[in-house]
């Protein structure tokens, strides 16, 4: 299926709501949960979820949602997660990915890492404009969301998974999407360093939050957290 046909699958408003909900969870989602979130019947949700899976927008599998196994544990339920494959449409056709990869390859071979990071930091500052550095994690998440990073607070509001820091829990913002994923896969040190520098310029380095490298499979290599230099 061509990318333009795949994207056309999302024209149906119910299907789009289901896709956006599953994509936003960062975990497996069952049919009942998706149906409730979209406000539709389970059978209708199942139809649209399977259509999204057929189009390659979602990956599907099955597991027991009860967490139990053996007799009496119930039948495995179908679950869905967002597919990692990228889709894009441009008319007429453009090939910016190849250009980006060629430029990254040349920069890496020439040892231009420092120059690229300096340019990325300046671009981040330019995107921020006259605005002050982000005043907190909530403001940083708004900025990151606008740039397509899909930020989420690790462990929720002080929930399980949040990191412990001096004086209480240290909240960490992770990002489910890297806008440079395709090129970062081929040139990780170069592109991840560029990404970090871009975000440092975008959220600021002198405010109460900071960006740092902390790679994790399936997520952006950069996280944002409260700056220890600004903790009280």
């Amino acid at each position: 299926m061509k990318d333009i046909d795949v994207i056309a699958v999302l024209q149906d408003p119910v299907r789009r709501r289901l896709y956006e909900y599953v994509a936003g969870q960062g975990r497996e989602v069952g049919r009942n949960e998706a149906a409730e979130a979209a406000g539709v019947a389970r059978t209708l949700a199942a139809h649209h979820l399977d259509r999204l899976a057929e189009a390659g927008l979602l990956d599907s599998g099955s597991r027991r949602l009860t967490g139990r196994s053996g007799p009496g544990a119930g039948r495995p339920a179908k679950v869905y997660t967002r597919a990692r494959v990228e889709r894009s449409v441009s008319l007429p056709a453009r090939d910016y990915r190849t250009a980006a990869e060629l430029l990254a390859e040349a920069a890496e071979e020439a040892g231009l890492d420092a120059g690229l990071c300096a340019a990325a930091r300046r671009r981040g500052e330019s995107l921020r404009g006259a605005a002050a550095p982000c005043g907190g994690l909530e403001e940083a998440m708004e900025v990151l969301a606008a740039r397509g990073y899909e930020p989420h607070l690790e462990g929720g509001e002080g929930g399980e998974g949040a990191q412990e820091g001096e004086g209480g829990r240290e909240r960490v913002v992770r990002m489910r999407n890297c806008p440079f994923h395709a090129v970062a896969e081929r040139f990780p040190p170069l592109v991840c360093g560029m990404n970090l520098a871009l975000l440092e310029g975008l959220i600021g380095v002198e405010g109460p939050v900071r960006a740092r490298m902390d790679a994790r499979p399936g997520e952006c290599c950069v996280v944002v957290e409260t700056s220890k230099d600004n903790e009280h």
Side-chain angles (χ1 to χ4, degrees):
M1 185 178 290
K2 296 181 180 179
D3 281 2
I4 192 168
D5 296 322
V6 170
I7 293 173
V9 170
L10 295 172
Q11 285 187 326
D12 183 283
V14 173
R15 196 173 294 157
R16 186 177 183 87
R17 289 204 305 273
L18 287 164
Y19 173 77
E20 290 176 345
Y21 179 77
V22 174
Q25 302 313 300
R27 56 174 173 80
E28 294 177 332
V29 175
R31 287 171 167 175
N32 287 339
E33 178 186 348
E36 183 177 352
V40 297
R42 183 184 183 280
T43 53
L44 180 60
H47 166 74
H48 285 305
L49 289 167
D50 286 340
R51 183 73 182 92
L52 289 165
E54 290 170 5
L57 290 166
L58 297 179
D59 290 332
S60 64
S62 61
R63 66 176 177 86
R64 288 187 173 90
L65 299 179
T66 61
R68 303 194 305 271
S69 60
R75 296 173 57 187
K78 200 161 188 180
V79 292
Y80 304 83
T81 56
R82 180 175 58 182
R84 299 299 299 175
V85 178
E86 293 184 10
R87 305 287 184 178
S88 63
V89 174
S90 59
L91 298 172
R94 299 286 188 264
D95 190 6
Y96 299 113
R97 176 175 173 175
T98 296
E101 290 179 347
L102 288 171
L103 290 169
E105 182 177 353
E108 190 172 72
E109 291 179 353
L112 299 177
D113 305 54
L116 177 61
C117 287
R121 192 170 291 107
R122 290 194 299 270
R123 174 57 63 92
E125 292 170 351
S126 175
L127 291 170
R128 177 158 53 92
C134 290
L137 288 182
E138 288 73 18
E139 183 179 348
M141 289 178 71
E142 292 180 4
V143 171
L144 294 167
R147 302 299 304 177
Y149 283 92
E150 298 185 3
H152 66 99
L153 195 61
E154 184 179 50
E157 290 290 340
E160 184 180 357
Q163 296 184 8
E164 290 285 356
E166 293 183 6
R169 287 192 180 276
E170 177 185 342
R171 298 193 302 164
V172 176
V173 173
R174 294 189 175 272
M175 293 166 272
R176 295 192 176 100
N177 182 52
C178 171
F180 316 109
H181 173 73
V183 185
E185 279 193 318
R186 288 197 57 189
F187 308 95
L190 181 77
V191 177
C192 291
M194 176 200 74
N195 188 24
L196 174 61
L198 177 71
L199 291 181
E200 286 176 340
L202 189 63
I203 68 174
V205 295
E206 298 179 355
V209 296
R210 65 162 186 162
R212 64 175 174 85
M213 201 79 75
D214 188 10
R216 177 182 289 184
E219 293 187 334
C220 180
C221 59
V222 179
V223 299
V224 176
E225 64 186 6
T226 302
S227 173
K228 291 181 174 58
D229 294 336
N230 289 278
E231 289 178 349
H232 298 290

